[in-house]
Amino acid sequence: MSRGVRFLFSLAAAIAAASLLAASLRRRAQPPRLPDQLLPGPMAARNRSFVLWLHGLGDSGPANEPIRTFFAAPEFRHTKWVFPSAPNSPVSCNNGAVMPSWFDIHELPLSPGSPQDESGVLKAVENVHAMIDREVAGGIHPDNIFVCGFSQGGALTLASVLLYPKTLGGGAVFSGWVPFGSSVIERISPEARKTPILWSHGIADQVVLFEAGQAGPPFLQSAGISCEFKAYPDLGHSIAKEELSSLEAWIKGRLKASQDKQS
């Protein structure tokens, strides 16, 4: 089997794994949510939160929506979730085939030294920032906004929170990587450096190598950014329920801290 075919096989396997996870999650019932107009009085906007989930290469936003069913705690009763879909674009690592992609990926598997599409990443970041800005304009405090993403969406998550001009509630990277060079560090604002990062990665990942994930915390540390890194033995290029449970607890803790600060 050629190197290119092996890469495509790894990519197809990763997409299939994500689809199986989504199918299993659909079996869980949606938690009850009150309409926004029923939120209590002038405190409503402050108590609301927003989670933006960015999918991986070749996937779609709707296919990831069942993820929200893991977040049934009362703290998420008034959380707004958005699962956007990437535009269709030719992808170099897939021999130029057109598929949903936030930016170009030159090779798979991804390692710490893989070439990056920095211009494409920065263009995608602008679109993510526009989504965040709409929620802030609608009354959601930046401290209550969380950007999360898997694989390519995880890399875009990292870029988006680092380059956003305000401190956000947090950014959660699942099986992602640093999608640009160290020259970007000087563009990170003092406020953005306060945004905490949760980074989760499977040690058995053969699509975005574990070493690519491991390169994240040192990069963030050099920029003065807090990062909690979690390694999952035997986990390949997919999301485990344990990761989502950890994310739920992580966001809950930051929502409480945000509400205490705003009281």
Side-chain angles (χ1 to χ4, degrees), residues 59-109:
D59 206 349
S60 71
N64 285 262
E65 288 183 8
I67 286 172
R68 68 190 295 176
T69 63
F70 273 87
F71 299 78
E75 290 85 352
F76 296 95
R77 186 172 54 177
H78 303 311
T79 297
K80 177 179 179 179
W81 293 77
V82 170
F83 297 83
S85 294
N88 289 321
S89 305
V91 179
S92 296
C93 70
N94 201 18
N95 295 322
V98 174
M99 60 173 55
S101 180
W102 300 109
F103 51 87
D104 196 16
I105 296 178
H106 295 287
E107 66 178 24
L108 288 177

Side-chain angles (χ1 to χ4, degrees), residues 57-240:
L57 177 66
D59 206 349
S60 71
N64 285 262
E65 288 183 8
I67 286 172
R68 68 190 295 176
T69 63
F70 273 87
F71 299 78
E75 290 85 352
F76 296 95
R77 186 172 54 177
H78 303 311
T79 297
K80 177 179 179 179
W81 293 77
V82 170
F83 297 83
S85 294
N88 289 321
S89 305
V91 179
S92 296
C93 70
N94 201 18
N95 295 322
V98 174
M99 60 173 55
S101 180
W102 300 109
F103 51 87
D104 196 16
I105 296 178
H106 295 287
E107 66 178 24
L108 288 177
L110 272 156
S111 67
S114 293
Q116 305 292 350
D117 175 24
E118 290 196 15
S119 62
V121 170
L122 295 178
K123 182 178 179 180
V125 164
E126 292 178 1
N127 294 329
V128 173
H129 286 179
M131 290 185 252
I132 297 173
D133 289 341
R134 281 196 293 271
E135 302 307 320
V136 173
I140 298 182
H141 196 282
D143 283 353
N144 295 337
I145 292 177
F146 299 84
V147 184
C148 312
F150 171 72
S151 190
Q152 186 189 44
L156 180 55
T157 289
L158 183 68
S160 298
V161 298
L162 292 185
L163 296 176
Y164 196 69
K166 299 177 182 178
T167 304
L168 298 175
V173 178
F174 295 90
S175 303
W177 69 93
V178 179
F180 37 47
S182 58
S183 62
V184 172
I185 290 179
E186 62 187 26
R187 299 179 54 179
I188 304 174
S189 72
E191 291 303 311
R193 294 172 195 260
K194 300 176 186 176
T195 299
I197 304 294
L198 173 66
W199 197 308
S200 304
H201 211 112
I203 294 177
D205 194 332
Q206 296 299 308
V207 178
V208 179
L209 300 181
F210 183 66
E211 291 79 8
Q214 280 184 309
F219 176 88
L220 294 170
Q221 185 178 14
S222 69
I225 298 170
S226 171
C227 177
E228 180 180 348
F229 187 85
K230 291 180 175 290
Y232 291 82
D234 303 319
L235 179 64
H237 195 64
S238 62
I239 299 178

Side-chain angles (χ1 to χ4, degrees), residues 9-33:
F9 180 80
S10 297
L11 175 61
I15 294 172
S19 298
L20 287 173
L21 174 64
S24 68
L25 295 179
R26 289 191 187 99
R27 302 189 187 102
R28 299 187 55 157
Q30 291 278 355
R33 297 174 72 248

